[in-house]
Amino acid sequence: MKTTLLDRIRSGDLAFGDPLPNDADLAEEFGCARLTVYRAMRELADEGYVERRRRAGTRVATRASRGVQLSIARVDEEIFARNAVYRYERLLREKAVPPAAVVTAFALKAGQKALHIRCRHWADDRVFQLEDRWINLEAVPEAAERPFLHYGPNHWLLEHVPFSEVHHDISAVCADAADAEGLKVAVGHALLRLGRTTVSKAGCITVADLKHPGELFSLCSDPQPA
C-alpha cells in the first residue's frame, strides 16, 4: 500500500497539495486493516511525502517541505502499533507558575500560571514514555477543566485544538533520579528525549518534555529525492 501511494506521488498522479482519502477509505481500497493504513501514512509523513493534520486530513507535501519531518501522533496509537497493551497513568496535575523558558514561550506575565501535567504511558509492563507537559491556559482556556485522569493531554489536544506549527528538539540523555523513578529504570540509563513545542494562531499551545528508555524508541527517516 505504501509503495503504491509513493508511486502515485512520484509519478505525479497525486500532485503537491492534493488531498488523500481518509484512512477508512484507503483501508477499503487496499483491502487491509486501518492499522496498516495508519502505519503506512505515518511512515510517509515522517519521510516528508505527506502532511497530516487533525480535522484537515492528509495532503501530498509540497516539494519545499520534503525532508526529515516528525508528525504528532497519539502515544497510545504508537504503542498499539507495536502490538503492545497500552496503559495511561497520571502522576501530577496542577496549576502553577512554569519555568522561565515556558513563561517566555507562552508570553506569560510574571506570576501567571499554566497547567502542568506529568504522566506515564505504559507498553505492556514497561514505561514507554514519561511525559512532562505545560499547557498555556491563555491559548487553551478549556484545558483548565480537563482532569486528564483517564487519558493524556496528547490525546485531548490532538482531538480538540488545531495547531499550525510544531518544533522538536531531540537529544540523548542519561536518566537522573527523577527520570529513573518515573521510567522505572536505573540512574544513568540511556534515554531518548523529545522536546516538543506546539503553536497555533492563538500562540504557543503547549511545551512538552517526552522521555523514553533508549531501547524502546527509535526515529527513522529515508533520504529524500532532490
Side-chain angles (χ1 to χ4, degrees):
M1 174 195 153
K2 176 187 172 183
T3 301
T4 300
L5 290 175
L6 196 52
D7 287 343
R8 291 176 184 175
I9 293 171
R10 286 173 170 168
S11 69
D13 288 343
L14 288 171
F16 303 134
D18 280 356
L20 273 69
N22 62 39
D23 288 4
D25 289 342
L26 285 171
E28 183 176 355
E29 177 184 351
F30 288 95
C32 62
R34 291 189 64 175
L35 179 58
T36 301
V37 176
Y38 166 77
R39 288 172 174 167
M41 299 308 290
R42 277 291 313 280
E43 290 177 8
L44 288 171
D46 289 345
E47 293 165 13
Y49 287 102
V50 301
E51 297 172 339
R52 284 167 74 77
R53 291 286 185 270
R54 292 277 172 176
R55 302 181 186 276
T58 303
R59 292 181 178 273
V60 178
T62 62
R63 187 178 297 275
S65 70
R66 298 289 173 83
V68 178
Q69 296 188 352
L70 294 176
S71 57
I72 295 182
R74 278 175 36 181
V75 64
D76 59 332
E77 292 178 342
E78 291 188 64
I79 292 170
F80 291 145
R82 295 165 184 261
N83 297 315
V85 176
Y86 171 75
R87 179 165 66 90
Y88 167 77
E89 180 184 10
R90 191 189 75 180
L91 302 176
L92 172 71
R93 182 193 183 279
E94 63 177 357
K95 292 180 183 178
V97 177
V102 179
V103 169
T104 300
F106 288 172
L108 299 180
K109 298 176 182 178
Q112 198 168 1
K113 294 182 178 181
L115 184 62
H116 184 205
I117 306 291
R118 187 172 172 85
C119 53
R120 288 192 288 212
H121 305 274
W122 293 73
D124 292 334
D125 59 351
R126 293 288 307 275
V127 181
F128 177 78
Q129 181 188 94
L130 178 64
E131 176 180 351
D132 191 282
R133 183 183 296 272
W134 291 89
I135 300 175
N136 184 356
L137 295 177
E138 294 298 304
V140 194
E142 57 270 35
E145 306 305 319
R146 309 303 303 184
F148 299 117
L149 181 60
H150 301 295
Y151 58 88
N154 169 259
H155 183 155
W156 183 81
L157 287 164
L158 286 174
E159 293 291 338
H160 295 90
V161 185
F163 61 91
S164 57
E165 297 179 34
V166 183
H167 305 280
H168 289 100
D169 175 24
I170 305 166
S171 58
V173 298
C174 293
D176 60 19
D179 294 332
E181 181 180 358
L183 288 164
K184 302 297 183 183
V185 297
V187 172
H189 192 95
L191 309 178
L192 185 144
R193 175 191 171 273
L194 182 63
R196 177 182 293 155
T197 301
T198 310
V199 179
S200 75
K201 292 181 180 179
C204 185
I205 300 170
T206 180
V207 173
D209 186 85
L210 313 171
K211 291 178 179 174
H212 309 78
E215 70 275 15
L216 294 186
F217 196 82
S218 62
L219 293 168
C220 302
S221 64
D222 293 333
Q224 301 303 307

